Amino acid sequence: MSARGYLREESWDSLHRSEASSDAGDEDDSIAGDTDEHGSSRTSPALLTVGDVHRALHPLQATADRVGKQVEQFAETLDRLSNKRHERPLKDCRHVLPLVKGYEKIASDTVKRLKKIHEPERQEKLKQSWKRRLRNSSGRSTPLSVHEEEAEDGGLHTTVEDLQRWELERQTWNLLGVMLQIEYPVPKSDLSDIESMNYLNRPDGDADLHRYTSEHAVWNRFLAEDNSAWERHVVVEWLKSSAEASGQNIDLVVEQLESSADRGSGLLAHGWLYTKEAIKGQKRLRSWPQALDPNSPGIDTSLVNSDRTQGLVTQLDPDAVTRQGRTLEKEDISFERATWLACWEMVRRGRKWESIREWCQERVEGWRSIALRGDPRDVPSGYTDDEPSPSASWQSRALWRSMCAAAAKNGGIDEYENAVYGVLSGHLPSVERVSRTWDDYLFAHYNSYILRQFDHYVHSRFPDKLPRTLTEKHDIDTVGGSKIMSSTDIIKRMLSLDITKEEARRPMKMLQGCLITRSFKNFIFLHGIRLAKSANGEEESKIISDMPTGLLDRSTTADITLKDHDLLRILTHMLFIFQDMGLTIGKGDHQYAIENIVVAYVEYLGKAGKQQLLPIYASRLSHRRSVMCMGRQLPFITDTNERHTVMRLMNQYGMNVTGVLNMQLQMIILDTPPNPENTSAYPKLKILDYTVHEPDSIRPIKSSFIGCNISGDEQDLINGFEWYLLLDGHWQETMAVGTILYKHLLRSRGLAAARELSKTVAFSSISLEKTESILGHATDVSRSYDNSEYEPDGHIELRRSTRSRNAQAQKRRRSSSVRRARSERELLLSSSTTFRDLECLFVALDTLEHWKRVADRAAMQADPRHARGWKSEMQKAHDAVETAMEPLLHGWLHYPKDDKEATECEEIRVACLPEIILAYHSVLLFGGRYLSREILLKCMDLAATIASEHSDLADCFVAARRMSELVDSMAVSSKSIVQAEEFGARTGKSRKKLNVESLDIWTVKVPSS
């Protein structure tokens, strides 16, 4: 196994272990909380299971739990079996058939599991449907649509609907497999390498045909030579198998039909019992030993039905009703309808003739099975093409089908009797009349067309075997008086028929139709557009942009939304299969619309908490769309282990990881609405309280001027930037992205988010994570180190006696290594200057807000016994402010990378420095009054720093037009210094200290006169 394959297997095994652990945790908790020691029911609402927490984190976890295992199985099957998609020696479907079979098996296993629980409910629903069909067949009324059937039983649980949906999906995957084998057939020599269904083993037709060849052998030769006939044959067999798998149990159907005909069960309960009794009564009354003559005098008035509205038949042969034009008792009519309905259902499901004969013989109705024998597709068990025809020649079979067509058109008591003969003869109108579903209607057309094709084939190969009058009556191009329709026309027609139009507009039926018509590319394109329209219906979608409605071009599409998770899953995996078969989705609108389906499915997986599955699907998109798709999902992955796993998987599937990380932040920034209050690129900070201002005082700092409100987009930015800690190297890119984020948050007044960013992804954390791969050891490059760390050999003195040429060379190499390390460190620092400066800004703002909280609490402390405690806390807060402000007063944002950034840095300095310096001055003034009067001297130091010729802080005040505020503030601090010294002189306290700044310079002594 390759290294990549081993990693894939290890990934899936770890995922299974994680899921099993979570499931076990849920199961244990649920067992522990179900019953108490006495066996009574109880709950433990205070105990949260692993599943509870997971569902709280992921809004679609309920949906994911319902189909979670299937979702993972589909992804695992795609991952393991699509590795061979590049190995295509031949243009056939052998490399994708295992994938299709894998998906079909997942659906089949799910159906089996759901049937064990919900099959009784489904059978009850089908039972009600059968009763309605039986009642409606009597008066040739309009058939009840599928929607009407479901509407009358609207109280079904969703679990039963799940069973029906998975059964429909299983049929769809089966249809995809057979259609792929039709369009991309595998050579017969290679059929042993793949799993193939029996009816897909296309006959080879190598046997020579002669007058004694069996009709079944001719049928096989016909399928081998005619591609359209082979395709129709496969679709008909698929429709039969689907009906058999999803229909009601025939034995239950028979039981229901017998009870509806007012008779018991057993051999004596079959036949026309009530009519038979009436005939016997007439014979006893008239003392006639022979059969009654329908023309006998008085028979029309004496032998009538129980309602005395119609005459009854005088004989009990099957043709008596049509031959005599008389009727049966209503109970016998019900029995006749029920029996033919059962026969129709068996023929529709593709039951073998032997099975139908056995069913008829059990009910003493053997004549029906004899009348139904003759289909060229049905041969006895064990029969081979080399044997002579077991029943009749081609000519008699053709005549038999002609007879069946006549019976379907003109004869029969019930429409289901006509439909049975219509199926055997290919008479389309009679079968259409009993078609209740999309499948029935398609079956009627395809079955009719293929039988007519076969009659034409036999006539063309053996014209002397068919009477001329028979061939003149049937034209290959017309069936039932109408032209043969293409598969596309049939599907379109069902969209407008009252009986099928609602079902035909359902997504799965439209999908099956596109598979049959081989128009999957156009189907998924149109539904990608429809998905874009629905996604942007109520509000603009962040994952799928709206598309012009004109692209639909009045085409009919099913309703599809972002909530149709099962449909999105099916379409996504089918798209990948067709792409593996060479389907190209084009460029521009076509590519975007088709990829909408995959993007929507990835969005669902993300919301359902299936983060480890995201890369396998996103990697199948075009480069830009894959980057955007994964970029939308990364901010929602907050668990560190999940992040490491997803990062590894993105690399494994060849995705542009750096592009994904950059794109996620770019899209979040673009999604953030602009602040309407912003009149400039960078609005000035609002730290001071301008509502409070007293004479001879400065404005105080506002409480909670940063706040704690972080919007969802801002939190996504923080989460998104955390991904860069997992990216080895990429130092300059990480610093550049971080700088962009700080600028964006500053521009949008997201101070709380910027502060959180400075704490969550601090420069020191980034340095410790990335320097391991850059410098060879993890270190915080912003710290100051002594020579002992960067010059480890600096204190090692070698003895003169041991000095040698090798030792000197080693020392030179070490010195070179130290210089190189120092150069690399300086390079890292220089490329991160702007990022570190912006981080310092928000660290300083955080310390100012914290200082304000401490000051407010101190102001509320009236008890002098607590003075020492609050002063200690105030001193710590004051020292933190001084430390944080130091970088902002010396060369802050003085080293931009280019002219554009230089302009931005200047704007930021003008917007931020005046306000934060005035706030800092307020802190110093407060500390000088309540902590230590020596702190007041730092106000003068601050003034000197601002006025220094090497500083441009004064220019910032001038540019911000706030120099007057600075002058007023400094005047207040100067006055405070004088007042503080006067107070100290009156109290007699000395302020002189050795080598310590003092207020003595402000002492004014007036000489005595």
Side-chain angles (χ1 to χ4, degrees), residues 370-663:
I370 297 300
L372 301 183
R373 187 176 189 184
D375 194 323
R377 294 165 289 193
D378 197 359
V379 294
S381 301
Y383 174 75
T384 62
D385 292 344
D386 297 332
E387 300 177 16
S389 179
S391 56
S393 64
W394 305 335
Q395 180 174 336
S396 62
R397 287 289 183 93
L399 291 173
W400 174 82
R401 282 192 290 274
S402 179
M403 263 192 330
C404 289
K409 183 177 181 180
N410 302 316
I413 300 176
D414 181 71
E415 59 184 3
Y416 281 102
E417 178 183 359
N418 297 339
V420 169
Y421 289 121
V423 171
L424 300 175
S425 64
H427 186 260
L428 179 59
S430 61
V431 184
E432 280 186 314
R433 280 194 293 269
V434 300
S435 297
R436 299 295 190 267
T437 64
W438 187 91
D439 286 17
D440 289 345
Y441 191 85
L442 183 63
F443 172 82
H445 280 263
Y446 268 46
N447 178 77
S448 176
Y449 297 165
I450 192 172
L451 289 178
R452 291 307 164 190
Q453 282 181 273
F454 178 64
D455 283 342
H456 184 277
Y457 176 82
V458 173
H459 171 63
S460 63
R461 294 297 300 267
F462 304 97
D464 57 331
K465 298 301 181 183
L466 296 179
R468 182 176 301 275
T469 56
L470 180 62
T471 59
E472 290 175 353
K473 289 181 179 180
H474 296 282
D475 183 4
I476 187 59
D477 295 327
T478 60
V479 178
S482 60
K483 282 284 186 179
I484 289 182
M485 301 169 61
S486 66
S487 58
T488 303
D489 293 336
I490 298 173
I491 301 300
K492 287 183 177 179
R493 186 181 179 188
M494 285 193 285
L495 292 171
S496 59
L497 292 177
D498 292 337
I499 195 173
T500 57
K501 63 182 181 181
E502 185 167 351
E503 185 184 8
R505 283 176 166 80
R506 295 179 182 176
M508 290 301 291
K509 285 304 174 186
M510 296 196 74
L511 176 57
Q512 291 177 357
C514 84
L515 293 177
I516 293 173
T517 58
R518 304 183 186 182
S519 57
F520 179 80
K521 180 177 180 180
N522 187 60
F523 171 86
I524 198 170
F525 165 66
L526 295 176
H527 284 78
I529 300 174
R530 181 64 66 189
L531 181 62
K533 301 302 294 183
S534 63
N536 293 273
E538 297 180 358
E539 59 182 11
E540 185 177 358
S541 172
K542 292 184 178 181
I543 63 170
I544 298 177
S545 301
D546 199 2
M547 300 189 70
T549 309
L551 293 173
L552 292 175
D553 193 23
R554 293 178 294 181
S555 301
T556 303
T557 59
D559 293 332
I560 181 172
T561 67
L562 296 176
K563 297 180 180 180
D564 295 326
H565 309 131
D566 290 329
L567 179 60
L568 293 174
R569 170 178 51 80
I570 295 170
L571 292 180
T572 296
H573 291 86
M574 280 194 181
L575 173 62
F576 293 162
I577 289 173
F578 278 103
Q579 285 182 317
D580 287 348
M581 289 304 304
L583 175 70
T584 57
I585 61 177
K587 300 292 183 181
D589 289 337
H590 274 76
Q591 183 184 48
Y592 190 87
I594 292 175
E595 290 186 341
N596 284 344
I597 303 295
V598 183
V599 171
Y601 184 60
V602 172
E603 174 76 3
Y604 157 64
L605 292 177
K607 289 184 176 180
K610 305 293 182 182
Q611 286 88 356
Q612 295 187 24
L613 307 183
L614 301 179
I616 186 175
Y617 293 98
S619 63
R620 299 292 293 256
L621 296 167
S622 59
H623 178 267
R624 176 169 176 79
R625 202 76 189 274
S626 66
V627 169
M628 296 179 65
C629 182
M630 280 302 297
R632 285 292 183 190
Q633 302 303 320
L634 293 191
F636 304 107
I637 306 176
T638 57
D639 182 75
T640 303
N641 292 332
E642 285 283 348
R643 285 176 172 174
H644 280 286
T645 301
V646 172
M647 181 75 79
R648 176 174 56 81
L649 290 174
M650 286 194 294
N651 283 308
Q652 179 177 315
Y653 289 110
M655 298 188 66
N656 182 2
V657 177
T658 307
V660 171
L661 299 185
N662 293 340
M663 181 60 71

Side-chain angles (χ1 to χ4, degrees), residues 357-377:
R357 180 185 62 180
E358 181 180 354
W359 185 88
C360 292
Q361 288 177 345
E362 289 177 354
R363 289 154 182 80
V364 198
E365 297 286 335
W367 67 269
R368 299 181 193 269
S369 62
I370 297 300
L372 301 183
R373 187 176 189 184
D375 194 323
R377 294 165 289 193

Side-chain angles (χ1 to χ4, degrees), residues 812-928:
R812 285 194 298 270
R813 286 196 298 271
R814 290 176 178 174
S815 299
S816 175
S817 176
V818 169
R819 287 193 299 271
R820 185 167 58 254
R822 184 179 297 145
S823 174
E824 291 176 349
R825 174 176 175 271
E826 292 174 353
L827 181 62
L828 296 179
L829 284 174
S830 64
S831 61
S832 62
T833 301
T834 304
F835 175 82
R836 289 185 290 113
D837 285 350
L838 290 174
E839 181 182 286
C840 289
L841 169 65
F842 295 104
V843 171
L845 293 176
D846 182 47
T847 58
L848 286 172
E849 187 181 67
H850 174 69
W851 178 90
K852 177 60 177 176
R853 285 196 298 270
V854 175
D856 289 343
R857 289 198 301 267
M860 298 173 63
Q861 291 288 346
D863 190 346
R865 293 176 297 177
H866 299 140
R868 177 174 298 180
W870 71 258
K871 279 191 174 183
S872 175
E873 188 177 4
M874 277 296 303
Q875 186 64 53
K876 292 180 180 179
H878 180 89
D879 293 342
V881 171
E882 287 192 2
T883 302
M885 284 297 300
E886 186 65 23
L888 274 65
L889 300 176
H890 302 91
W892 186 68
L893 292 181
H894 275 191
Y895 304 98
K897 63 179 181 180
D898 51 36
D899 293 340
K900 180 181 179 181
E901 187 173 86
T903 303
E904 285 187 301
C905 289
E906 184 61 28
E907 292 178 356
I908 296 173
R909 286 169 56 80
V910 172
C912 299
L913 284 180
E915 185 79 358
I916 198 171
I917 289 176
L918 291 174
Y920 176 50
H921 181 260
S922 177
V923 171
L924 294 177
L925 190 58
F926 184 92

Side-chain angles (χ1 to χ4, degrees), residues 213-233:
T213 304
S214 67
E215 189 174 47
H216 185 63
V218 179
W219 173 263
N220 287 339
R221 185 66 172 267
F222 163 64
L223 295 181
E225 295 179 359
D226 193 323
N227 291 331
S228 65
W230 168 243
E231 180 175 343
R232 285 171 177 156
H233 169 75

Side-chain angles (χ1 to χ4, degrees), residues 199-258:
Y199 64 81
L200 288 186
N201 290 331
R202 186 174 184 178
D204 49 26
D206 294 336
D208 295 331
L209 299 183
H210 49 80
R211 62 182 303 171
Y212 300 108
T213 304
S214 67
E215 189 174 47
H216 185 63
V218 179
W219 173 263
N220 287 339
R221 185 66 172 267
F222 163 64
L223 295 181
E225 295 179 359
D226 193 323
N227 291 331
S228 65
W230 168 243
E231 180 175 343
R232 285 171 177 156
H233 169 75
V234 169
V235 173
V236 167
E237 294 301 316
W238 171 76
L239 290 168
K240 289 179 180 179
S241 65
S242 298
E244 177 68 16
S246 59
Q248 191 178 16
N249 186 284
I250 290 291
D251 295 334
L252 295 178
V253 173
V254 172
E255 181 181 346
Q256 297 164 23
L257 298 180
E258 288 177 343

Side-chain angles (χ1 to χ4, degrees), residues 177-342:
V178 299
M179 295 307 295
L180 285 175
Q181 293 185 66
I182 292 174
E183 189 172 0
Y184 307 100
V186 181
K188 276 193 169 294
S189 58
D190 300 328
L191 280 178
S192 58
D193 298 337
I194 63 172
E195 292 184 42
S196 61
M197 294 186 159
N198 292 332
Y199 64 81
L200 288 186
N201 290 331
R202 186 174 184 178
D204 49 26
D206 294 336
D208 295 331
L209 299 183
H210 49 80
R211 62 182 303 171
Y212 300 108
T213 304
S214 67
E215 189 174 47
H216 185 63
V218 179
W219 173 263
N220 287 339
R221 185 66 172 267
F222 163 64
L223 295 181
E225 295 179 359
D226 193 323
N227 291 331
S228 65
W230 168 243
E231 180 175 343
R232 285 171 177 156
H233 169 75
V234 169
V235 173
V236 167
E237 294 301 316
W238 171 76
L239 290 168
K240 289 179 180 179
S241 65
S242 298
E244 177 68 16
S246 59
Q248 191 178 16
N249 186 284
I250 290 291
D251 295 334
L252 295 178
V253 173
V254 172
E255 181 181 346
Q256 297 164 23
L257 298 180
E258 288 177 343
S259 62
S260 66
D262 294 333
R263 61 190 65 215
S265 60
L267 295 178
L268 298 179
H270 298 89
W272 298 342
L273 298 182
Y274 293 87
T275 303
K276 184 179 184 180
E277 186 64 26
I279 294 175
K280 284 183 177 181
Q282 283 295 316
K283 293 176 70 174
R284 284 194 297 266
L285 182 63
R286 297 172 181 267
S287 299
W288 284 354
Q290 70 275 10
L292 291 177
D293 188 351
N295 298 320
S296 298
I299 198 69
D300 292 336
T301 57
S302 60
L303 186 59
V304 294
N305 59 8
S306 56
D307 296 335
R308 308 195 67 82
T309 57
Q310 291 179 288
L312 294 178
V313 296
T314 62
Q315 299 170 7
L316 297 178
D317 61 280
D319 295 329
V321 176
T322 55
R323 185 179 68 253
Q324 297 180 2
R326 303 171 74 88
T327 187
L328 305 173
E329 286 286 6
K330 62 179 182 180
E331 292 85 0
D332 294 329
I333 292 177
S334 296
F335 169 76
E336 190 71 8
R337 294 188 188 116
T339 305
W340 281 116
L341 178 56

